[in-house]
Amino acid sequence: MRLITESYVNQISKWPKTGRHIIAQYDDQTVVVYQAYRPAIANFALTHGYFGGEFQLNRMSWIKTNFLWMMYRSGWAAKPGQEVVLAIWLKRTAFEEILSKVVHSSFIPELYTTQEAWQTALKHSQVRLQWDPDHHPSGAKLERRAIQLGLRGEILAAYAQDWIVNIEDISEFVRQQRRNINSDCTELITPRESVYSVVDTKIQQTLELSAWTE
């Protein structure tokens, strides 16, 4: 498996406990995002290196940077239609472009002059931003917020076919680690993740990122 992993208990002290943060595995060239699909869609992507076949470009597709948030949403690969969990290495320049085009899924007066202006922006947006409660491996809700990004239109088409560097099926790893969840999670292994730093101050403000110093 290409993903770099580490003990979960070794990582939690390095993560913020509250606030809005992009937590991800990344390097200078790529950012890992996660999606979960039924086998037909996942297998096409794994075979061809891009999304096609039964993948629907006319629907919004959500990507998540945080492994444990993906585990919560997919039920650790147990929910119907989410049996195959994919780790997707996305070009970092593409990820930055996605972040630059977000529109929040709820009205925020500080960012949008009126509710009508926000609704218009949301209607025409190609990237929808949601900050949802992050979750402990057990499923318990945390104070920290996790990001998920809904893609559609030209952005989704570029993501699906042009921006992907690598795709990996991590479903077996997910099932193995699901068995390692207990009260203290001492045996749990997760992808090594850290807070992703957004340099552009305007994008920081639009995302409403919380301050963080390691």
Side-chain angles (χ1 to χ4, degrees):
M1 191 172 70
R2 179 174 169 179
L3 271 179
I4 301 169
T5 59
E6 188 176 338
S7 167
Y8 166 75
V9 295
N10 288 348
Q11 295 196 75
I12 53 176
S13 62
K14 305 172 189 176
W15 297 336
K17 293 180 172 54
T18 61
R20 296 181 176 91
H21 303 277
I22 301 172
I23 295 179
Q25 182 166 136
Y26 62 93
D27 56 29
D28 291 341
Q29 302 299 321
T30 60
V31 178
V32 177
V33 298
Y34 301 98
Q35 295 194 287
Y37 288 108
R38 65 182 185 273
I41 293 176
N43 291 339
F44 182 100
L46 290 162
T47 300
H48 296 86
Y50 65 90
F51 287 103
E54 295 183 22
F55 184 85
Q56 297 185 21
L57 288 169
N58 60 347
R59 295 180 59 184
M60 184 167 284
S61 185
W62 292 86
I63 59 174
K64 302 163 182 64
T65 67
N66 183 323
F67 175 79
L68 289 176
W69 174 229
M70 183 73 257
M71 295 306 97
Y72 169 74
R73 292 296 295 167
S74 69
W76 292 81
K79 290 184 179 178
Q82 300 188 60
E83 303 93 342
V84 184
V85 180
L86 302 177
I88 300 150
W89 279 257
L90 184 64
K91 293 177 183 177
R92 188 162 174 173
T93 53
F95 184 67
E96 292 283 349
E97 182 172 347
I98 289 169
L99 294 180
S100 74
K101 297 183 182 300
V102 301
V103 175
H104 288 255
S105 59
S106 57
F107 175 57
I108 300 172
E110 295 80 8
L111 295 177
Y112 308 99
T113 52
T114 64
Q115 189 153 356
E116 290 73 21
W118 162 72
Q119 288 174 335
T120 299
L122 188 66
K123 179 180 179 181
H124 297 287
S125 69
Q126 296 189 51
V127 182
R128 186 170 297 182
L129 166 65
Q130 285 188 194
W131 287 108
D132 298 289
D134 208 343
H135 288 76
H136 183 271
S138 67
K141 190 180 295 186
L142 303 176
E143 291 187 43
R144 182 180 63 239
R145 293 277 165 163
I147 195 170
Q148 65 171 335
L149 299 159
L151 314 181
R152 65 180 177 183
E154 293 178 0
I155 289 288
L156 178 58
Y159 164 77
Q161 300 190 349
D162 300 324
W163 290 346
I164 293 171
V165 176
N166 184 58
I167 304 177
E168 188 170 64
D169 182 354
I170 61 169
S171 308
E172 184 55 34
F173 169 76
V174 166
R175 286 187 281 269
Q176 290 171 355
Q177 297 312 314
R178 186 183 186 187
R179 295 192 288 268
N180 289 335
I181 300 172
N182 51 37
S183 58
D184 53 13
C185 293
T186 54
E187 301 299 318
L188 180 63
I189 304 296
T190 59
R192 182 186 297 168
E193 296 175 345
S194 57
V195 174
Y196 182 90
S197 178
V198 175
V199 177
D200 189 300
T201 54
K202 184 178 179 181
I203 297 176
Q204 288 178 12
Q205 293 168 358
T206 301
L207 295 173
E208 292 201 309
L209 290 172
S210 302
W212 173 249
T213 303
E214 293 190 48

